[in-house]
Amino acid sequence: MTDLKTTDLNVTPSMMRRVTAVGMLVVLGVLLLRVALGPEGLGGGWLAMLLVMAAGVLWVAFRLWQATALRLVLTEDALVEEAADGSRGRVLCRLDEIARVERGTFAFKPSNGFVIRLNDPASRVWAPGLWWRFGKRLGVGGVTPAGQGKAMADVIAARIGGLGRID
């Protein structure tokens, strides 16, 4: 267990964004259940499809709540997940594995976030609302504040560009 240093940058989802995102998904799931189990008498195929969709949406809402309980921390050598108690989780990527950072207007990136291009493909992982990794692309953002994401993207770009630590 390591403590967050004051020099480590972090991206922390706000509680209001978490509640809003999960609330919207729960409302969608309940509406799908209402349509599926309503008095209209749907056929078996439609009923099955709506129930599967409702279960999927409610599962994503649950996973979103779990994933956004964490924050992302940029340490001296890596980008890692960290729980509220300070315990470090998965390593998203090491700084020496990063080819470049993209945060332009037309970049395929999460909302309020940025994309890191890795040198080598990595395993596929998805933490809804916080980050995802697919092949050589790692997206950071979602229900995170835009300012924190921009600051982290700028610092990562500077570090991999050879400017060293510029907090």
Side-chain angles (χ1 to χ4, degrees):
M1 182 159 100
T2 59
D3 294 324
L4 181 68
K5 299 177 191 172
T6 57
T7 57
D8 289 342
L9 282 176
N10 70 79
V11 174
T12 307
S14 70
M15 183 57 73
M16 191 60 176
R17 290 174 193 248
R18 289 179 68 200
V19 169
T20 302
V22 170
M24 286 182 189
L25 288 171
V26 168
V27 166
L28 177 59
V30 169
L31 285 173
L32 287 168
L33 285 174
R34 163 63 180 91
V35 170
L37 303 175
E40 292 82 20
L42 298 172
W46 286 107
L47 179 64
M49 181 190 73
L50 288 170
L51 289 175
V52 167
M53 287 176 60
V57 167
L58 293 173
W59 175 79
V60 169
F62 176 71
R63 289 288 299 130
L64 177 78
W65 187 256
Q66 286 181 324
T68 56
L70 304 172
R71 65 179 167 204
L72 301 181
V73 177
L74 179 64
T75 64
E76 288 289 330
D77 57 346
L79 182 59
V80 298
E81 286 182 330
E82 183 175 87
D85 65 0
S87 60
R88 296 275 163 96
R90 291 182 281 199
V91 175
L92 280 62
C93 68
R94 300 184 54 74
L95 291 182
D96 57 3
E97 298 170 340
I98 298 174
R100 67 181 182 271
V101 177
E102 299 174 358
R103 61 175 181 85
T105 304
F106 299 109
F108 179 69
K109 61 182 178 61
S111 173
N112 296 329
F114 57 95
V115 170
I116 295 173
R117 291 282 187 157
L118 303 173
N119 294 322
D120 299 309
S123 63
R124 282 184 244 160
V125 184
W126 181 43
L130 192 57
W131 67 278
W132 51 261
R133 183 174 55 217
F134 185 79
K136 290 185 175 187
R137 298 166 57 95
L138 176 104
V140 174
V143 297
T144 58
Q148 290 178 359
K150 184 176 189 287
M152 185 176 284
D154 289 343
V155 170
I156 291 172
R159 286 189 190 174
I160 65 171
L163 297 177
R165 188 169 178 108
I166 62 149
D167 299 328

